[in-house]
Each structure stands twice: as structure tokens, then as C-alpha cells.
Amino acid sequence: LIDWTKRKKEFLELIDEIKDNSKKLNSLYDCVVPWSGGKDSTSIALKLKFEFGLNPLLVTFSPLLINECGRLNRIELLKMGFDSIFLNPNPLISRKLARRFFIERGNPKVAWDAGVNAGPIQVAINYNIPTVFYAEHGESEYGGLVLDNDSEKKRNLREVIEHQIGDYPENWTSDEISIGDLSPYIYPSEKKLNKKNLIAYYFSYFFRWSMFENYEYVKKKMPNFKTNPNGRTKGTFTDFDSLDDKIDCLYYYMQYIKFGFGRATRDSCRMIQNNQMTRQRGIELARKYDNEFPEDDYEEVIEYLGINN
């Protein structure tokens, strides 16, 4: 039911506005793109720069356990003429938080979720860049509680806290972790965002979102884009999604343990939604791979979390 031609026209008008704003502010960059090096954020960076003429600053919040595939893909895109900032929070603190939240919530990436949301916004404020482009709004794309009528287009602070993080990082202080240690994870206040007139948009509002089409687009533009060298990722049938962190296989396996559906269900549902796979085929793949144990990098991940095997 969405008129994508109308949405693209709206986007082109926004691009003109963004360029005008960056000139008025004497900003070195037109926008910030939170960038992992994966196919989704890379496709956005490529389109903004080469199709729409913006000069984006790419901002990466470090994975917990960097793998070779993600590292090489980041290098490959930067060769095409991008500036980037790699945010590397205190590894002792990030490791303690990963262990804590794995034990408490079965999710070692809670603090990382906070950092990947807060970091690019902090950089945008510090560099006086008033526009940020995130990828998709999950609640609109895949189902969930939408808290604001405009939130499929513009990032909503309440949704970030409730959906993306689930908590205020200010609450994570302990005998070992001070409020200063948590600064990379703390999202700027609404007052500060309004003062800077900073707006974060979702790219998926303007253009139909498809993880598979994003991958095909990036592979066409970057023939050396790396995928899982094993042919597919444990727990699913794809080889091109969530490749930048060794901890991701355990992360998605815990999703299966807690909620009863795994990574293959996640991937197949997104492809069924876009008519790239039949429902029957998705069911077959989910039954085959959802409960697959995340043995790739498992020993390293468990050691990182400080948990006896």
C-alpha cells in the first residue's frame, strides 16, 4: 500500500534540505551513517554518496569480538573513498558488561546495543552534523509495538530505550563500573538533541527494505565483499548477514533458547515477506537449522565471557 515513488520524492527533497543545512553549519559532512561493514549499512553508505551526492561520515561501534570477514569488508568500502570513525570502548568494561548481561538476560550484546545506538549520535553532536541515517525501523518492518506515529521515519528516543536497549545505561553502575565508564553507551538527552536540531532517519521509510536485495546491491558494487567462508552461518542458511562479530552465533542461539525461534526463522521470514522465498521452503529451513549449536568460535566466545565450558 506504500507509494514508494512518493516516498522517493520526499527523500530527494530531504537531501536538498540536508545539503543546505550542512552548508549553513559549515559542517564537513552531510550526515552520519552508523556502519558495521555489513551489507545493510554498506548499501546505505554507497547509495547516499554515489547516487544522492551526500558526503557521509561512517561511524562504527566496535563489535565485541571482531572477525576477519567484517574487518576486510570495512577496509574494502573505505577504499572507495569514505571517511570513518571506529569507536572502541574500554574493552575491560565491555567484557564485564557482556558477561553480566549474558548471565542476567541471556544476551551478551545489551551494552553493545546501547553503544551502537548512542555512539553515532554522540559523534554527530560532536562534529556538528545534524542528520543521521539508520537502517530499518524494526517494529514497522517486522512487527512490534510502535510507540509514535512518526517513528517509522524518525528515530524516537523512547523507542531506542525500550526496544533497542531495554534499559537506561546509567543504571549499570556497580562497584567495578562507574558512570564515567558507561559514557560510550549513554544516549544523548532529548534536550541536547533538540538543541542541536539533530534528526535521525530510517532509510527503510524512504525505500523498500530487503536484506537480500541490500546484499545483492553491495556485491554488485563491491565484488570483493566477503561472506561466511563456510558457505553459510551456523543456525541459518544464509552466508551474508551479521558477519562482523564472532559472538553473533551464540546471540542468535540464545534467541532460540529463550523464544523458540532461531536465526533461520528470522532470515526466512524476511525473505518470505519480500516474495524471495516460499513459506513452505522457509519452514523447511527453519526446522533444519534453527536449533543448530553455535560451535563456530564457541570456545573463544565462552572464554571471552569468562564462563566455564
Side-chain angles (χ1 to χ4, degrees):
L1 299 177
I2 295 173
D3 186 341
W4 292 111
T5 301
K6 183 179 178 182
R7 289 277 181 94
K8 183 175 182 179
K9 182 180 178 183
E10 184 180 352
F11 181 76
L12 293 175
E13 292 172 354
L14 177 63
I15 291 295
D16 290 337
E17 183 181 321
I18 289 171
K19 290 178 179 178
D20 288 341
N21 285 339
S22 58
K23 285 180 182 178
K24 289 176 184 175
L25 295 169
N26 292 318
S27 177
L28 298 174
Y29 302 97
D30 295 309
C31 60
V32 164
V33 175
W35 177 58
S36 67
K39 84 282 182 222
D40 293 327
S41 55
T42 295
S43 71
I44 292 171
L46 287 167
K47 289 173 183 177
L48 290 176
K49 186 176 182 73
F50 297 115
E51 294 186 19
F52 300 109
L54 292 184
N55 182 27
L57 174 63
L58 311 183
V59 178
T60 305
F61 194 86
S62 177
L64 295 176
L65 287 169
I66 297 172
N67 65 21
E68 190 69 358
C69 187
R71 187 184 72 82
L72 292 174
N73 283 338
R74 284 190 290 272
I75 291 173
E76 198 65 27
L77 181 64
L78 296 180
K79 288 179 183 177
M80 297 179 70
F82 289 86
D83 290 342
S84 74
I85 291 178
F86 191 92
L87 301 175
N88 199 356
N90 184 332
L92 296 177
I93 300 301
S94 60
R95 187 174 184 178
K96 287 177 180 178
L97 290 170
R99 172 184 165 83
R100 170 185 169 178
F101 290 127
F102 180 70
I103 293 170
E104 288 184 5
R105 309 184 193 182
N107 179 1
K109 298 186 72 173
V110 170
W112 182 87
D113 286 336
V116 81
N117 278 281
I121 302 296
Q122 292 178 1
V123 169
I125 288 174
N126 291 335
Y127 277 72
N128 203 31
I129 307 170
T131 306
V132 179
F133 278 107
Y134 277 87
E136 82 271 43
H137 179 246
E139 284 65 42
S140 297
E141 290 295 319
Y142 313 122
L145 180 61
V146 178
L147 300 179
D148 186 273
N149 291 332
D150 203 29
S151 60
E152 67 174 321
K153 177 180 178 182
K154 298 178 182 178
R155 205 160 175 79
N156 178 287
L157 178 56
R158 182 183 165 202
E159 283 196 356
V160 169
I161 300 301
E162 292 195 19
H163 296 339
Q164 307 295 328
I165 306 169
D167 194 4
Y168 287 94
E170 293 91 329
N171 295 331
W172 300 343
T173 55
S174 65
D175 292 339
E176 295 182 311
I177 299 176
S178 69
I179 191 69
D181 293 328
L182 296 170
S183 59
Y185 307 97
I186 296 174
Y187 204 88
S189 68
E190 199 148 18
K191 182 178 179 181
K192 185 174 286 188
L193 296 174
N194 291 336
K195 185 178 179 181
K196 287 287 187 177
N197 292 318
L198 191 150
I199 301 176
Y201 294 97
Y202 289 106
F203 200 77
S204 64
Y205 171 80
F206 302 101
F207 301 95
R208 192 175 76 89
W209 191 253
S210 164
M211 69 165 192
F212 182 62
E213 289 175 12
N214 289 343
Y215 163 66
E216 289 189 317
Y217 177 87
V218 170
K219 192 67 177 175
K220 184 177 179 180
K221 300 293 182 181
M222 295 169 51
N224 291 328
F225 185 80
K226 304 297 182 185
T227 56
N228 193 304
N230 297 322
R232 67 174 182 86
T233 306
K234 289 292 184 182
T236 190
F237 55 92
T238 65
D239 66 349
F240 56 80
D241 187 56
S242 292
L243 298 175
D244 60 303
D245 198 327
K246 293 179 182 179
I247 212 164
D248 277 1
C249 285
L250 177 64
Y251 168 82
Y252 286 111
Y253 185 72
M254 292 306 297
Q255 171 186 280
Y256 172 75
I257 295 296
K258 291 187 291 180
F259 302 116
F261 71 95
R263 195 168 182 176
T265 294
R266 169 187 178 273
D267 291 350
S268 61
C269 281
R270 295 181 180 196
M271 295 182 72
I272 293 166
Q273 179 185 20
N274 287 307
N275 297 314
Q276 296 154 344
M277 178 183 291
T278 65
R279 183 174 183 274
Q280 183 57 42
R281 180 58 177 159
I283 291 172
E284 292 170 2
L285 292 168
R287 286 176 174 165
K288 185 174 183 178
Y289 295 122
D290 258 3
N291 67 346
E292 188 174 34
F293 190 78
E295 60 187 29
D296 290 353
D297 304 310
Y298 177 73
E299 296 295 336
E300 183 178 353
V301 169
I302 291 300
E303 182 182 355
Y304 175 79
L305 294 173
I307 294 172
N308 292 331
N309 195 348

